[in-house]
Amino acid sequence: MEDCIFCMLANGQIPTDMVYEDELCACFRDASPQAPVHMLLVPKKHIGSLNELECGDAELIAHMMLKIKEIAASEGLDNGYRCVINTGEDGGQTVPHLHIHILGKRSLLWPPG
Ligand code: AMP
Ligand code: ZN
């Protein structure tokens, strides 16, 4: 999709710190990391959010879910990690291209304390 920053990052139109990519998805580092490791896993195809997923995307989403543990292992997240998908305004979604935050290398207990 034109003018979508994550489409451009995922498809190599803008250089980024790419951690992993294949024909279906890309994983790059978040520009404003909230943890020592903070990556965003996105589909190369434009999907606006969880709300725009269709049945035909099932294989793509399964593929991405199964990639998470491989990407986490490649980043040394052996002690665990957190995955977050913000959706819509109340969910805090600021970039309208589906993305899975993968955060690790610090304690992410929630609620804190
Ligand atoms: P969300 O608030 O869930 O939509 O998350 C969007 C995330 O994208 C934020 O954590 C931003 O720091 C991150 N972000 C925005 N622009 C870029 C960019 N050009 N490269 C990498 N991460 C970005
Ligand atoms: Zn997009």
Side-chain angles (χ1 to χ4, degrees):
M1 189 197 208
E2 260 179 65
D3 295 337
C4 172
I5 181 82
F6 281 6
C7 278
M8 291 191 266
L9 291 168
N11 292 289
Q13 290 157 268
I14 298 177
T16 187
D17 192 351
M18 196 69 83
V19 178
Y20 172 82
E21 83 174 300
D22 59 31
E23 70 283 6
L24 294 176
C25 63
C27 183
F28 47 83
R29 294 191 196 282
D30 196 293
S32 178
Q34 303 301 308
V37 173
H38 186 173
M39 305 171 284
L40 301 169
L41 176 61
V42 310
K44 287 195 170 176
K45 164 188 163 179
H46 182 82
I47 299 173
S49 77
L50 282 181
N51 285 337
E52 269 120 84
L53 273 182
E54 295 174 356
C55 291
D57 297 317
E59 208 171 312
L60 166 62
I61 293 305
H63 174 79
M64 289 173 60
M65 286 294 161
L66 289 165
K67 279 293 159 200
I68 292 173
K69 64 180 180 183
E70 289 180 25
I71 295 166
S74 77
E75 288 292 308
L77 305 184
D78 309 323
N79 205 39
Y81 50 92
R82 174 177 293 169
C83 296
V84 175
I85 306 177
N86 296 326
T87 304
E89 192 178 343
D90 281 359
Q93 184 177 7
T94 59
V95 178
H97 178 125
L98 179 63
H99 49 281
I100 304 172
H101 294 259
I102 305 170
L103 303 113
K105 288 278 183 190
R106 76 165 168 85
S107 175
L108 291 153
L109 292 179
W110 193 88

